[in-house]
Amino acid sequence: MSSETLDKEGVTRRDFLGLAAFGAAIFSALSVIAGTLRIFKPNVHYEESKKFKIGKPENFPEGTVRKIDERNLFIFSDSDGIYAITAVCQHLGCIVYTTEWGFQCPCHGSKYDKEGNVIGGPAPRGLPWFEITQNVDGTLVVNAGKEVPKGTKYIFA
Amino acid sequence: MLSRFYLSLLLLSGLVFIAFITLATYRELTPEWKKYQAEYREMLIKNAKDEAAREKARRIKIEQQQIYLAGLKRVDRCMNCHIGVDNPLMADAKVPFKQHSGDYLKNHPPDKFGCTICHNGQGRATNKKEAHGKGRDTHWDFPILPFKYIQNSCAQCHDYETLRHKGGEMVVKGERLFREKGCKGCHKVNGIGGDLGKALDGIGSQPIAYFPMRHVVGEQTTYNWLKQHYLDPRAIVPDSEMRVFLTEEESDLLTTYILTFRTTEVPREYRRIRYVPERRVDGESLYKMYCIACHSTGKVSVYDEILKRTIPAIMNPAFLKNADDGTLRKIIKEGRKGTQMTAWKSTAAGLTDGEINKLIRYITRERPDEAAEPFGFAEFKTDPKHGKELYDVRCALCHGEKGKGGKGALGINLTNPVVQKELDPEFLARTVRDGRSGTPMPPFGEEGLGLSDQDIADIVSYVRTLAQKK
Amino acid sequence: MGDMSGLSKFKENLLNLKNSFLASFLRSGRLTSDKSKASVMFNNFFLHIQGVKTHINTLRPTYTFGLGLITFFLFVIVVLSGVLLMIYYHPSVEEAYNKIKDIIYVVFGGRLLRNIHKWSGEGMIVFMILHMARVFYTGSYKKGREFNWVIGVVLMILVFGLNLSGYMLPWDQLAYWALLIVANIIQSPKEITDSLGITQYFDIGGFFKELFLGGTVAGQESLTRVYLLHVWLLPLFLFIFLAVHFWRIRKDGGLTKPDEFERVEGDLSYVSPPEKKGGLFPTYKTYGLMELAHGRTPAVDKDVENTVLSWPNLLLAELAVFMLTLAGVLVYAYYVDAPLKELANPLIPENPAKAPWYFLGLQELLSYSAFMGGVGLPGLALLGLALIPYLDREQEYVGIWFSNRQGRIVALQAFVVGTIVNIGILVFVVNLGWFRDWWPNVPQMLITLVNPGNIWVAFMIAWSAMVMKRTGSTRMGAIALFTMFLVSYVIFTAMGTYFRGPNWEFFWSKSQWPIH
């Protein structure tokens, strides 16, 4: 209004007030949006432990393959020891099956050799191997959260 | 030109909002447990044996810990603070970092069992006060269990044989107390037991509001209520009729045992209950289980201040001499209406005929060989009027003018239906004649007390009319 | 342009992207002239609900106190926070309580979010009632706004319904027992049908209770229904009625103002007046199309010199009030946690089992007679509220707080007398009881008809009839009645909230409650 004195060089006091006020409003809006997006990210997962028992070593005699269906996992046992390979295809998460030359995924045709290395199809990486440990009472425990290098086989008493 | 008033309002509100959203974010990002996890990491780094271990410790992420137990329908976040619970390096650390004591975790790995299945407390909570659930203002019904009661949790999965030898002896001893103090004389469990008290099924899973906490000293918790209630029932529930006499230690044992009565059942895969052949129950155990709380030794009858009546001495030879098995069976099966004596037949308090027979055999084991001399009530021609004259002089002093006994009176209430209808007059007449030794009831037939058999018959016939006279 | 290649045109367009996008977005060019400031209002879907010009009276903070706007902004906050809560909440009796706990303990900002949702929801009730009082005392239900007042009453019912249904979702002890109490309020017409002996043929109360609970007891079915009401049905109706509410304000020519509006010193500090006279919107015109409209609704050509452009005046004021609301809710939610009690337990009632605070006035009335407190008197109150604009048709003094000096006196008298009489009735009941305490066998019908709640309502009506007779004005009668209504809502609510303890007995303070 007429009483307002304009500072020709820069901003008036009122302009500063306006800038600050709208600045605060915009900052507030941004913080609300950021907080809202953060709320969508869950802090905890309602999933059971990635470690699970699979039984005693004698349940896995040499030369056998067993599929643990509820965990999507193959347990192999050969002369070098016991090892665990996932049954989840690394392309888009289908479940592979064993063939005489390795693993075959039914969905998009990924092929893996017996070690789980990719030999065909779209899969970007080989099937991971998981760590196996033994409890004090002798049961074997697979940790599907921990990968080990391919070829790591365990020998248990 | 914008209005200065509204601009200022906008600026001020905006600044307040920014200030508080900053505060709120800070509060959100610095929960109690992060401090503990950071301290834990520092401890691991400091105590690391070699560089590899140190590097491993450095890589520990500070994050929300959670054990999700689909089978147990629980979510436990205790390890947010009790982070070293399964780390052997933390055996001598201070709480909350300390490793779990004993070797319990060997067979109960936390990622399968969690914490609250044994310790109670609020597993979902992420701060100390609410996780431990202490204090009514946390609104949590199952606060963390003190160690002295913790064995009750073992009984969810383990049978008593295992408990006896492997660290559950408090439950086993408590169970024995429960059996031998006659608790089921008044409390039903699984449908069997008396009716005077509340049924005890699921009592360990009841919310705190179920218990009248008004007079409880200290923390208002289920276990404190139970224990204080065993030490002095009437201090906790003023009009309680519970007859229980336990030492401090016994109260703790019984509390531990009673807490095992839960409604929640853990899934089969967790349970380790072996088949245990049913205990052979003899007359003595039955007596202890159902009768002893009121009748105690059964040798003397005394006026009981708690029940406000005379408790008859049911194992007194004089009584047994007079009462044949049929009479006893009738009393036990039907109870005594108007008194605390419950009807024990299978459709009421739930004892089988076999069990009642065993009880009778136990009660009557000291019955004198020779039976009481028959009275022959049926042969007398009775005169209730004469009976009343005699009653008023000889009997009313103890049994009350109307036969109702009453407070402070020595005699029992004669108007109850058992005396009035169910008992044989012959039995009553013999009792008047021979008295009841061990009780204040004298033998009126003896010389000196001077009632003739005709007098006694008249009195009995009058007594049988008492209930009709209002 | 012909000599430009396609690529250079493309380059040109790319450089102009910002301006061309903004122009298409705003449709009005840069906001430098009155024309562009006006067109931004009527070219924008969201802004066109408001007029191009706004009366100075509307922007005077002491006229409206921004109450209706605050209620609306609280609703916006409640909807947004509610959607966020829905990410983690799950309406099942096994999981609901645990999910609320998880929202509190492990969702980022969950505790704050829940508090914001809870308090802005209850804040809606407070500000809605204050807004209603403002509209009433400034006579803003008159002159074509009668039906909008009725819509306001409908909105009030919906807001109460939303709050109540939300109260039940955590499935804790508070929720469960409130659900049960409400179900029994719904059932309360049974008191009448029982007295008439016709319940077995015509059980209207039981019928509605079954509709509400999905059974005869509260359980999963009830939770499903309440959840549906809370997140879908009631909000949908609220959106619809709110849109109509706003639209009608616009069609009625904006907020009310006095017929003889006079600027006072300081009015201009809330607005920036049109920059120059003459222009596209000279001060003697409101806005174009409305001059062609017939009817008596819009304030065409009236008081034009006291209007200013809505952009930026009104929008700045609205933004400021929104920010104020947001900040207020945040500060309150930061310090005060929404309650959550033990898991619902159908066997162990809370003692006292209290409804949420905004219904505790009703619960006090309910303690006299279930039907009258639950259905009769609230129904009468809502009907009375809705009918006010049709029973008081005096058209003077619109836009002036309390109409005139006489109105201020009538309101003050009603306030003082109402407070004394209402508290007097409560003191009487607390000390001496009522019929059933004196004659235990008194028929229920007599209590339903004659109880302290009814007596209070009868007194209010009699007092306002007396005022009408004395002043010869229906507006004065309405002021007296409405004032007493507000007084008793506050007093009964305070009574139920602060002075009633276990077994609904009177206590001076909660510290005297016997410990269970």
Tab-separated table of all heavy atoms in Angstrom, chain A residues 52 71-76 83-91 93-94 96 103 112-118 123-132 142-152 154:
chain	number	residue	atom	x	y	z
A	52	PHE	N	17.351	-72.446	8.968
A	52	PHE	CA	16.401	-73.490	9.333
A	52	PHE	C	17.092	-74.839	9.365
A	52	PHE	O	18.105	-75.072	8.709
A	52	PHE	CB	15.221	-73.494	8.362
A	52	PHE	CG	15.626	-73.467	6.918
A	52	PHE	CD1	15.843	-74.639	6.221
A	52	PHE	CD2	15.810	-72.257	6.279
A	52	PHE	CE1	16.235	-74.602	4.902
A	52	PHE	CE2	16.207	-72.217	4.956
A	52	PHE	CZ	16.415	-73.388	4.267
A	71	ARG	N	11.195	-74.676	1.371
A	71	ARG	CA	12.265	-73.675	1.373
A	71	ARG	C	12.872	-73.469	-0.010
A	71	ARG	O	13.831	-72.721	-0.154
A	71	ARG	CB	13.374	-74.120	2.333
A	71	ARG	CG	12.920	-74.256	3.766
A	71	ARG	CD	12.651	-72.909	4.375
A	71	ARG	NE	12.379	-73.046	5.799
A	71	ARG	CZ	12.287	-72.015	6.629
A	71	ARG	NH1	12.461	-70.800	6.185
A	71	ARG	NH2	12.033	-72.202	7.903
A	72	ASN	N	12.361	-74.164	-1.021
A	72	ASN	CA	12.892	-74.045	-2.380
A	72	ASN	C	14.405	-74.232	-2.429
A	72	ASN	O	15.162	-73.314	-2.773
A	72	ASN	CB	12.513	-72.696	-2.995
A	72	ASN	CG	11.045	-72.643	-3.327
A	72	ASN	OD1	10.464	-73.650	-3.749
A	72	ASN	ND2	10.431	-71.508	-3.102
A	73	LEU	N	14.814	-75.415	-2.047
A	73	LEU	CA	16.239	-75.648	-1.864
A	73	LEU	C	16.573	-77.085	-2.241
A	73	LEU	O	15.800	-77.996	-1.988
A	73	LEU	CB	16.550	-75.426	-0.374
A	73	LEU	CG	17.992	-75.344	0.044
A	73	LEU	CD1	18.560	-74.005	-0.402
A	73	LEU	CD2	18.087	-75.465	1.550
A	74	PHE	N	17.737	-77.274	-2.899
A	74	PHE	CA	18.235	-78.635	-3.153
A	74	PHE	C	19.364	-78.919	-2.188
A	74	PHE	O	20.234	-78.082	-1.970
A	74	PHE	CB	18.772	-78.765	-4.579
A	74	PHE	CG	17.707	-78.661	-5.627
A	74	PHE	CD1	17.624	-77.547	-6.444
A	74	PHE	CD2	16.798	-79.692	-5.815
A	74	PHE	CE1	16.645	-77.448	-7.409
A	74	PHE	CE2	15.829	-79.605	-6.787
A	74	PHE	CZ	15.744	-78.482	-7.585
A	75	ILE	N	19.354	-80.102	-1.594
A	75	ILE	CA	20.469	-80.545	-0.774
A	75	ILE	C	21.136	-81.705	-1.522
A	75	ILE	O	20.495	-82.728	-1.764
A	75	ILE	CB	20.011	-81.035	0.608
A	75	ILE	CG1	19.145	-79.982	1.296
A	75	ILE	CG2	21.222	-81.413	1.465
A	75	ILE	CD1	19.891	-78.781	1.770
A	76	PHE	N	22.391	-81.505	-1.900
A	76	PHE	CA	23.134	-82.555	-2.601
A	76	PHE	C	24.106	-83.210	-1.639
A	76	PHE	O	24.591	-82.568	-0.698
A	76	PHE	CB	23.933	-81.966	-3.770
A	76	PHE	CG	23.065	-81.446	-4.876
A	76	PHE	CD1	22.578	-80.158	-4.845
A	76	PHE	CD2	22.730	-82.265	-5.940
A	76	PHE	CE1	21.776	-79.680	-5.856
A	76	PHE	CE2	21.937	-81.790	-6.961
A	76	PHE	CZ	21.447	-80.492	-6.924
A	83	TYR	N	26.071	-80.145	0.197
A	83	TYR	CA	25.979	-78.736	-0.150
A	83	TYR	C	24.546	-78.380	-0.528
A	83	TYR	O	23.759	-79.239	-0.908
A	83	TYR	CB	26.966	-78.357	-1.256
A	83	TYR	CG	26.890	-79.216	-2.502
A	83	TYR	CD1	26.267	-78.742	-3.648
A	83	TYR	CD2	27.489	-80.475	-2.525
A	83	TYR	CE1	26.211	-79.517	-4.789
A	83	TYR	CE2	27.428	-81.254	-3.668
A	83	TYR	CZ	26.784	-80.780	-4.810
A	83	TYR	OH	26.716	-81.546	-5.922
A	84	ALA	N	24.227	-77.064	-0.386
A	84	ALA	CA	22.857	-76.591	-0.601
A	84	ALA	C	22.848	-75.591	-1.745
A	84	ALA	O	23.616	-74.631	-1.744
A	84	ALA	CB	22.317	-75.929	0.665
A	85	ILE	N	21.978	-75.819	-2.754
A	85	ILE	CA	21.826	-74.893	-3.870
A	85	ILE	C	20.366	-74.487	-3.952
A	85	ILE	O	19.470	-75.325	-3.817
A	85	ILE	CB	22.255	-75.541	-5.202
A	85	ILE	CG1	23.716	-75.982	-5.123
A	85	ILE	CG2	22.057	-74.574	-6.362
A	85	ILE	CD1	24.243	-76.615	-6.399
A	86	THR	N	20.139	-73.211	-4.168
A	86	THR	CA	18.758	-72.736	-4.218
A	86	THR	C	18.045	-73.272	-5.449
A	86	THR	O	18.682	-73.572	-6.470
A	86	THR	CB	18.702	-71.210	-4.224
A	86	THR	OG1	17.342	-70.814	-4.138
A	86	THR	CG2	19.272	-70.634	-5.512
A	87	ALA	N	16.723	-73.367	-5.359
A	87	ALA	CA	15.918	-73.795	-6.493
A	87	ALA	C	15.254	-72.597	-7.151
A	87	ALA	O	14.428	-72.749	-8.038
A	87	ALA	CB	14.862	-74.799	-6.044
A	88	VAL	N	15.606	-71.376	-6.699
A	88	VAL	CA	14.969	-70.177	-7.241
A	88	VAL	C	15.793	-69.654	-8.406
A	88	VAL	O	16.959	-69.299	-8.249
A	88	VAL	CB	14.852	-69.098	-6.158
A	88	VAL	CG1	14.203	-67.844	-6.736
A	88	VAL	CG2	14.037	-69.623	-4.995
A	89	CYS	N	15.203	-69.633	-9.586
A	89	CYS	CA	15.894	-69.155	-10.771
A	89	CYS	C	16.279	-67.698	-10.590
A	89	CYS	O	15.494	-66.888	-10.088
A	89	CYS	CB	14.982	-69.313	-11.987
A	89	CYS	SG	15.730	-68.662	-13.496
A	90	GLN	N	17.482	-67.332	-11.011
A	90	GLN	CA	17.972	-65.973	-10.796
A	90	GLN	C	17.494	-65.004	-11.876
A	90	GLN	O	17.834	-63.837	-11.859
A	90	GLN	CB	19.509	-65.985	-10.732
A	90	GLN	CG	20.050	-66.830	-9.597
A	90	GLN	CD	19.589	-66.339	-8.226
A	90	GLN	OE1	19.920	-65.236	-7.824
A	90	GLN	NE2	18.806	-67.143	-7.527
A	91	HIS	N	16.689	-65.515	-12.786
A	91	HIS	CA	16.117	-64.608	-13.794
A	91	HIS	C	14.925	-63.866	-13.202
A	91	HIS	O	15.034	-62.709	-12.828
A	91	HIS	CB	15.721	-65.416	-15.049
A	91	HIS	CG	15.038	-64.587	-16.103
A	91	HIS	ND1	13.956	-65.036	-16.814
A	91	HIS	CD2	15.293	-63.347	-16.538
A	91	HIS	CE1	13.562	-64.094	-17.643
A	91	HIS	NE2	14.366	-63.057	-17.501
A	93	GLY	N	12.698	-65.566	-10.728
A	93	GLY	CA	12.181	-66.163	-9.506
A	93	GLY	C	11.330	-67.403	-9.657
A	93	GLY	O	10.658	-67.803	-8.715
A	94	CYS	N	11.299	-68.038	-10.826
A	94	CYS	CA	10.595	-69.315	-10.939
A	94	CYS	C	11.404	-70.406	-10.216
A	94	CYS	O	12.530	-70.158	-9.804
A	94	CYS	CB	10.403	-69.708	-12.395
A	94	CYS	SG	9.198	-68.677	-13.246
A	96	VAL	N	13.378	-73.892	-10.399
A	96	VAL	CA	14.015	-74.768	-11.386
A	96	VAL	C	13.857	-76.224	-10.974
A	96	VAL	O	13.550	-76.533	-9.829
A	96	VAL	CB	15.514	-74.434	-11.534
A	96	VAL	CG1	15.696	-73.001	-11.988
A	96	VAL	CG2	16.248	-74.683	-10.228
A	103	PHE	N	20.335	-77.853	-14.065
A	103	PHE	CA	19.025	-77.333	-13.693
A	103	PHE	C	18.369	-76.646	-14.887
A	103	PHE	O	19.041	-76.017	-15.692
A	103	PHE	CB	19.147	-76.302	-12.564
A	103	PHE	CG	19.875	-76.802	-11.359
A	103	PHE	CD1	21.253	-76.606	-11.230
A	103	PHE	CD2	19.204	-77.478	-10.350
A	103	PHE	CE1	21.930	-77.064	-10.116
A	103	PHE	CE2	19.883	-77.936	-9.242
A	103	PHE	CZ	21.245	-77.738	-9.126
A	112	TYR	N	21.159	-74.145	-16.170
A	112	TYR	CA	22.324	-74.078	-15.299
A	112	TYR	C	23.024	-75.429	-15.315
A	112	TYR	O	22.362	-76.463	-15.436
A	112	TYR	CB	21.916	-73.756	-13.860
A	112	TYR	CG	21.096	-72.498	-13.688
A	112	TYR	CD1	19.711	-72.532	-13.839
A	112	TYR	CD2	21.713	-71.292	-13.357
A	112	TYR	CE1	18.963	-71.392	-13.672
A	112	TYR	CE2	20.951	-70.141	-13.188
A	112	TYR	CZ	19.575	-70.192	-13.345
A	112	TYR	OH	18.831	-69.069	-13.162
A	113	ASP	N	24.352	-75.428	-15.127
A	113	ASP	CA	25.022	-76.719	-15.031
A	113	ASP	C	24.909	-77.252	-13.608
A	113	ASP	O	24.242	-76.658	-12.761
A	113	ASP	CB	26.481	-76.614	-15.503
A	113	ASP	CG	27.328	-75.770	-14.561
A	113	ASP	OD1	26.823	-75.423	-13.455
A	113	ASP	OD2	28.464	-75.447	-14.912
A	114	LYS	N	25.613	-78.359	-13.353
A	114	LYS	CA	25.429	-79.008	-12.062
A	114	LYS	C	25.923	-78.176	-10.882
A	114	LYS	O	25.554	-78.383	-9.736
A	114	LYS	CB	26.143	-80.363	-12.059
A	114	LYS	CG	25.431	-81.343	-12.961
A	114	LYS	CD	25.834	-82.758	-12.716
A	114	LYS	CE	24.815	-83.645	-13.383
A	114	LYS	NZ	25.091	-85.045	-13.259
A	115	GLU	N	26.844	-77.231	-11.182
A	115	GLU	CA	27.333	-76.353	-10.127
A	115	GLU	C	26.442	-75.127	-9.960
A	115	GLU	O	26.698	-74.282	-9.102
A	115	GLU	CB	28.752	-75.892	-10.478
A	115	GLU	CG	29.755	-77.007	-10.598
A	115	GLU	CD	30.806	-76.902	-9.524
A	115	GLU	OE1	31.613	-75.961	-9.619
A	115	GLU	OE2	30.792	-77.724	-8.595
A	116	GLY	N	25.475	-74.988	-10.857
A	116	GLY	CA	24.614	-73.826	-10.794
A	116	GLY	C	25.048	-72.686	-11.693
A	116	GLY	O	24.441	-71.614	-11.669
A	117	ASN	N	26.111	-72.879	-12.502
A	117	ASN	CA	26.538	-71.810	-13.407
A	117	ASN	C	25.588	-71.722	-14.594
A	117	ASN	O	25.073	-72.735	-15.073
A	117	ASN	CB	27.949	-72.104	-13.933
A	117	ASN	CG	28.942	-72.147	-12.779
A	117	ASN	OD1	28.994	-71.227	-11.968
A	117	ASN	ND2	29.704	-73.225	-12.713
A	118	VAL	N	25.377	-70.492	-15.101
A	118	VAL	CA	24.460	-70.300	-16.226
A	118	VAL	C	25.081	-70.879	-17.487
A	118	VAL	O	26.234	-70.599	-17.803
A	118	VAL	CB	24.185	-68.803	-16.456
A	118	VAL	CG1	23.086	-68.642	-17.501
A	118	VAL	CG2	23.793	-68.133	-15.171
A	123	ALA	N	19.054	-65.955	-17.622
A	123	ALA	CA	19.439	-65.715	-16.227
A	123	ALA	C	20.737	-64.910	-16.149
A	123	ALA	O	21.708	-65.226	-16.839
A	123	ALA	CB	19.607	-67.041	-15.498
A	124	PRO	N	20.775	-63.855	-15.339
A	124	PRO	CA	21.959	-63.010	-15.257
A	124	PRO	C	23.068	-63.590	-14.395
A	124	PRO	O	24.203	-63.156	-14.487
A	124	PRO	CB	21.428	-61.719	-14.647
A	124	PRO	CG	20.276	-62.159	-13.818
A	124	PRO	CD	19.691	-63.356	-14.512
A	125	ARG	N	22.760	-64.516	-13.517
A	125	ARG	CA	23.788	-65.063	-12.644
A	125	ARG	C	23.453	-66.501	-12.258
A	125	ARG	O	22.307	-66.932	-12.402
A	125	ARG	CB	23.962	-64.220	-11.384
A	125	ARG	CG	22.696	-64.073	-10.551
A	125	ARG	CD	22.921	-63.159	-9.361
A	125	ARG	NE	23.799	-63.795	-8.383
A	125	ARG	CZ	23.467	-64.012	-7.112
A	125	ARG	NH1	22.287	-63.640	-6.671
A	125	ARG	NH2	24.306	-64.591	-6.290
A	126	GLY	N	24.432	-67.198	-11.747
A	126	GLY	CA	24.231	-68.593	-11.390
A	126	GLY	C	23.431	-68.768	-10.116
A	126	GLY	O	23.165	-67.805	-9.383
A	127	LEU	N	23.035	-70.024	-9.855
A	127	LEU	CA	22.274	-70.304	-8.639
A	127	LEU	C	23.204	-70.267	-7.426
A	127	LEU	O	24.225	-70.950	-7.407
A	127	LEU	CB	21.641	-71.700	-8.737
A	127	LEU	CG	20.646	-71.902	-9.885
A	127	LEU	CD1	20.229	-73.374	-9.970
A	127	LEU	CD2	19.420	-71.023	-9.702
A	128	PRO	N	22.871	-69.472	-6.405
A	128	PRO	CA	23.763	-69.373	-5.254
A	128	PRO	C	23.771	-70.642	-4.386
A	128	PRO	O	22.778	-71.359	-4.315
A	128	PRO	CB	23.207	-68.180	-4.470
A	128	PRO	CG	21.861	-67.909	-5.004
A	128	PRO	CD	21.739	-68.549	-6.344
A	129	TRP	N	24.927	-70.865	-3.741
A	129	TRP	CA	25.071	-71.929	-2.756
A	129	TRP	C	24.956	-71.322	-1.373
A	129	TRP	O	25.388	-70.195	-1.149
A	129	TRP	CB	26.454	-72.610	-2.892
A	129	TRP	CG	26.650	-73.367	-4.178
A	129	TRP	CD1	26.213	-73.022	-5.409
A	129	TRP	CD2	27.370	-74.592	-4.313
A	129	TRP	NE1	26.598	-73.958	-6.332
A	129	TRP	CE2	27.312	-74.935	-5.685
A	129	TRP	CE3	28.039	-75.426	-3.411
A	129	TRP	CZ2	27.916	-76.087	-6.177
A	129	TRP	CZ3	28.645	-76.570	-3.904
A	129	TRP	CH2	28.573	-76.900	-5.285
A	130	PHE	N	24.404	-72.083	-0.446
A	130	PHE	CA	24.223	-71.527	0.905
A	130	PHE	C	25.088	-72.248	1.929
A	130	PHE	O	25.456	-73.414	1.747
A	130	PHE	CB	22.758	-71.627	1.347
A	130	PHE	CG	21.832	-70.777	0.521
A	130	PHE	CD1	20.639	-71.284	0.051
A	130	PHE	CD2	22.176	-69.460	0.215
A	130	PHE	CE1	19.792	-70.507	-0.709
A	130	PHE	CE2	21.329	-68.670	-0.540
A	130	PHE	CZ	20.133	-69.194	-1.008
A	131	GLU	N	25.299	-71.533	3.006
A	131	GLU	CA	26.107	-72.074	4.100
A	131	GLU	C	25.343	-73.160	4.867
A	131	GLU	O	24.141	-73.019	5.111
A	131	GLU	CB	26.477	-70.939	5.064
A	131	GLU	CG	27.391	-71.361	6.175
A	131	GLU	CD	27.489	-70.286	7.246
A	131	GLU	OE1	26.458	-69.930	7.856
A	131	GLU	OE2	28.602	-69.806	7.464
A	132	ILE	N	26.060	-74.229	5.222
A	132	ILE	CA	25.464	-75.255	6.094
A	132	ILE	C	26.327	-75.357	7.342
A	132	ILE	O	27.553	-75.392	7.244
A	132	ILE	CB	25.406	-76.632	5.415
A	132	ILE	CG1	24.704	-76.521	4.050
A	132	ILE	CG2	24.671	-77.640	6.287
A	132	ILE	CD1	24.638	-77.835	3.302
A	142	VAL	N	20.735	-74.817	7.569
A	142	VAL	CA	21.052	-74.060	6.362
A	142	VAL	C	20.755	-72.597	6.639
A	142	VAL	O	19.728	-72.261	7.217
A	142	VAL	CB	20.202	-74.547	5.174
A	142	VAL	CG1	20.448	-73.667	3.957
A	142	VAL	CG2	20.532	-75.987	4.866
A	143	ASN	N	21.672	-71.728	6.231
A	143	ASN	CA	21.431	-70.298	6.355
A	143	ASN	C	21.234	-69.726	4.958
A	143	ASN	O	22.190	-69.429	4.252
A	143	ASN	CB	22.618	-69.637	7.054
A	143	ASN	CG	22.364	-68.158	7.283
A	143	ASN	OD1	21.350	-67.628	6.837
A	143	ASN	ND2	23.282	-67.504	7.969
A	144	ALA	N	19.969	-69.575	4.571
A	144	ALA	CA	19.668	-69.090	3.223
A	144	ALA	C	19.960	-67.612	3.087
A	144	ALA	O	19.783	-67.031	2.027
A	144	ALA	CB	18.210	-69.377	2.882
A	145	GLY	N	20.405	-67.001	4.164
A	145	GLY	CA	20.774	-65.589	4.086
A	145	GLY	C	22.257	-65.430	3.792
A	145	GLY	O	22.741	-64.312	3.632
A	146	LYS	N	22.986	-66.515	3.755
A	146	LYS	CA	24.428	-66.395	3.592
A	146	LYS	C	24.921	-67.266	2.434
A	146	LYS	O	24.864	-68.483	2.504
A	146	LYS	CB	25.124	-66.801	4.887
A	146	LYS	CG	26.585	-66.410	4.879
A	146	LYS	CD	27.196	-66.551	6.245
A	146	LYS	CE	28.658	-66.159	6.204
A	146	LYS	NZ	29.350	-66.526	7.425
A	147	GLU	N	25.384	-66.610	1.378
A	147	GLU	CA	25.907	-67.337	0.232
A	147	GLU	C	27.350	-67.760	0.479
A	147	GLU	O	28.091	-67.080	1.174
A	147	GLU	CB	25.870	-66.449	-1.017
A	147	GLU	CG	24.493	-66.326	-1.640
A	147	GLU	CD	24.540	-65.553	-2.938
A	147	GLU	OE1	25.533	-65.689	-3.678
A	147	GLU	OE2	23.568	-64.819	-3.207
A	148	VAL	N	27.713	-68.881	-0.110
A	148	VAL	CA	29.113	-69.313	-0.043
A	148	VAL	C	29.584	-69.541	-1.474
A	148	VAL	O	28.759	-69.727	-2.388
A	148	VAL	CB	29.263	-70.601	0.788
A	148	VAL	CG1	28.939	-70.330	2.245
A	148	VAL	CG2	28.391	-71.712	0.244
A	149	PRO	N	30.889	-69.518	-1.720
A	149	PRO	CA	31.394	-69.718	-3.083
A	149	PRO	C	30.965	-71.071	-3.619
A	149	PRO	O	30.867	-72.055	-2.859
A	149	PRO	CB	32.910	-69.658	-2.923
A	149	PRO	CG	33.144	-68.987	-1.619
A	149	PRO	CD	31.964	-69.283	-0.757
A	150	LYS	N	30.709	-71.133	-4.927
A	150	LYS	CA	30.317	-72.401	-5.531
A	150	LYS	C	31.432	-73.427	-5.319
A	150	LYS	O	32.611	-73.107	-5.414
A	150	LYS	CB	30.099	-72.207	-7.036
A	150	LYS	CG	28.862	-71.368	-7.323
A	150	LYS	CD	28.467	-71.456	-8.785
A	150	LYS	CE	27.110	-70.842	-9.008
A	150	LYS	NZ	27.036	-69.414	-8.653
A	151	GLY	N	30.997	-74.610	-4.991
A	151	GLY	CA	31.992	-75.650	-4.749
A	151	GLY	C	32.291	-75.859	-3.275
A	151	GLY	O	33.044	-76.747	-2.906
A	152	THR	N	31.693	-75.066	-2.416
A	152	THR	CA	31.906	-75.258	-0.974
A	152	THR	C	31.057	-76.417	-0.503
A	152	THR	O	29.823	-76.314	-0.464
A	152	THR	CB	31.514	-73.998	-0.190
A	152	THR	OG1	32.071	-72.874	-0.844
A	152	THR	CG2	31.996	-74.075	1.241
A	154	TYR	N	30.409	-79.448	2.482
A	154	TYR	CA	30.667	-79.636	3.908
A	154	TYR	C	30.697	-81.110	4.256
A	154	TYR	O	29.884	-81.885	3.766
A	154	TYR	CB	29.592	-78.940	4.746
A	154	TYR	CG	29.520	-77.456	4.508
A	154	TYR	CD1	28.718	-76.943	3.488
A	154	TYR	CD2	30.246	-76.571	5.297
A	154	TYR	CE1	28.643	-75.591	3.262
A	154	TYR	CE2	30.179	-75.207	5.070
A	154	TYR	CZ	29.379	-74.727	4.057
A	154	TYR	OH	29.316	-73.387	3.841
